[in-house]
Amino acid sequence: MNNNDIFKKLRVALMLRDDQIIEILELVDFRMSKGEIGNIFRNQDHADFMECGDQVLRNFLNGLVIHLRGTKENPKNPSDVIAIHRAEAQPKEFKKFNNTITNSGEEQKPKASFKPKTEFKKKPASNPKSREKKPAPKVQVVEKVKFNNGKNKKS
């Protein structure tokens, strides 16, 4: 197992996006571009694959500690931070409102009500004959001019 595998597994387990990884690395003053991070997560067979060095993984882990735990002045609860990542990672259409059971055994309903999407109205089918283009009237750009080359013609 190499550094790339460890980095990939941490990213998946913590549900981190590339921009969040950049923010974590900046907490320890280590800067990487989004493209370089994308190259680290590529397949080894890919032409743009980049091997994750020890320095990158070490700085990511140190930044991850600060990101999850916070600083001495501003401590955080790691489970809250992970819950925020989990909520951001889920697409809006798949979020469900789960009923939770309180300590007293009563079922508590969610505060927000779920409203199903309204159905879209179908447009009437268009007439295919109306799509046919009618030939545009021919516009004469130059007027008909009678040329007289200096010869008088008698007709």
Side-chain angles (χ1 to χ4, degrees):
M1 186 175 235
N2 59 14
N3 289 347
N4 291 58
D5 295 334
I6 295 169
F7 206 174
K8 286 179 190 176
K9 290 185 183 295
L10 284 171
R11 178 180 141 200
V12 171
L14 297 172
M15 292 172 274
L16 296 172
R17 297 186 315 261
D18 288 345
D19 57 337
Q20 293 171 330
I21 292 172
I22 291 171
E23 291 173 7
I24 290 171
L25 288 171
E26 286 177 356
L27 290 174
V28 290
D29 296 327
F30 189 81
R31 285 162 184 63
M32 281 186 81
S33 69
K34 197 171 185 179
E36 290 174 320
I37 290 173
N39 290 341
I40 289 173
F41 296 124
R42 291 188 188 276
N43 240 350
Q44 286 184 350
D45 302 337
H46 197 277
D48 293 333
F49 172 76
M50 187 172 91
E51 191 162 335
C52 179
D54 293 338
Q55 183 181 10
V56 175
L57 187 62
R58 182 184 73 237
N59 283 311
F60 174 73
L61 292 173
N62 288 335
L64 189 62
V65 169
I66 295 171
H67 178 71
L68 292 176
R69 294 183 190 166
T71 59
K72 284 185 179 181
E73 297 83 25
N74 188 14
K76 296 180 187 176
N77 187 357
S79 58
D80 293 342
V81 176
I82 293 172
I84 291 170
H85 289 298
R86 184 176 297 133
E88 290 175 356
Q90 285 182 339
K92 291 181 183 177
E93 57 202 34
F94 293 115
K95 289 183 181 177
K96 295 180 180 177
F97 296 103
N98 295 328
N99 292 340
T100 56
I101 298 175
T102 59
N103 292 339
S104 62
E106 297 176 10
E107 192 172 310
Q108 184 181 15
K109 293 188 178 181
K111 293 180 183 177
S113 61
F114 177 75
K115 294 180 182 177
K117 291 183 179 180
T118 58
E119 292 186 25
F120 294 104
K121 295 180 182 177
K122 290 186 178 182
K123 292 182 180 179
S126 62
N127 187 356
K129 292 182 180 179
S130 66
R131 288 189 206 154
E132 296 175 5
K133 290 187 177 181
K134 295 178 183 177
K138 213 173 196 183
V139 179
Q140 287 186 345
V141 179
V142 181
E143 296 177 13
K144 290 188 179 181
V145 179
K146 184 178 178 183
F147 289 101
N148 190 357
N149 292 334
K151 296 180 182 177
N152 290 332
K153 290 187 180 182
K154 294 181 183 178
S155 34

